[in-house]
Amino acid sequence: MKSFAEDRSHFGAWVITSSPLVLGYDLTDASVTDRVWSIISNTEAIGINQAWAGHPGRRVAAWTPNGTSPHRYAVAVGCDGDDGTQ
């Protein structure tokens, strides 16, 4: 990846869709591990990933703010009554 923000965004995208979290880099490269450690060891993100509600979410809106491109999207995911989010 090119930057910390890009690494974090990429990991976050996999987290919110409850996808398997797979590390796709040379694990023997300590410099890469040091760079991404705060991302891949984020217990809150991992908890979100593991709180599978049976659906990865669906697009509920698409819009182009101020005439910019590309579109922006809003995604909704249902919550159950036991997950503490309601």
Side-chain angles (χ1 to χ4, degrees):
M1 299 288 178
K2 295 182 180 185
S3 69
F4 180 80
E6 187 174 321
D7 291 342
R8 186 177 58 200
S9 297
H10 185 247
F11 189 76
W14 290 109
V15 163
I16 63 173
T17 58
S18 295
S19 296
L21 300 177
V22 178
L23 300 178
Y25 69 92
D26 181 0
L27 299 176
T28 64
D29 187 340
S31 66
V32 175
T33 300
D34 290 343
R35 190 181 88 216
V36 299
W37 184 252
S38 65
I39 299 169
I40 63 175
S41 65
N42 183 323
T43 56
E44 184 177 6
I46 293 169
I48 291 167
N49 175 263
Q50 299 300 306
W52 175 249
H55 191 281
R58 67 187 189 297
R59 186 174 71 182
V60 294
W63 72 97
T64 306
N66 302 323
T68 60
S69 184
H71 291 310
R72 309 287 191 219
Y73 300 101
V75 177
V77 177
C79 296
D80 62 33
D82 297 329
D83 69 1
T85 60
Q86 295 181 354

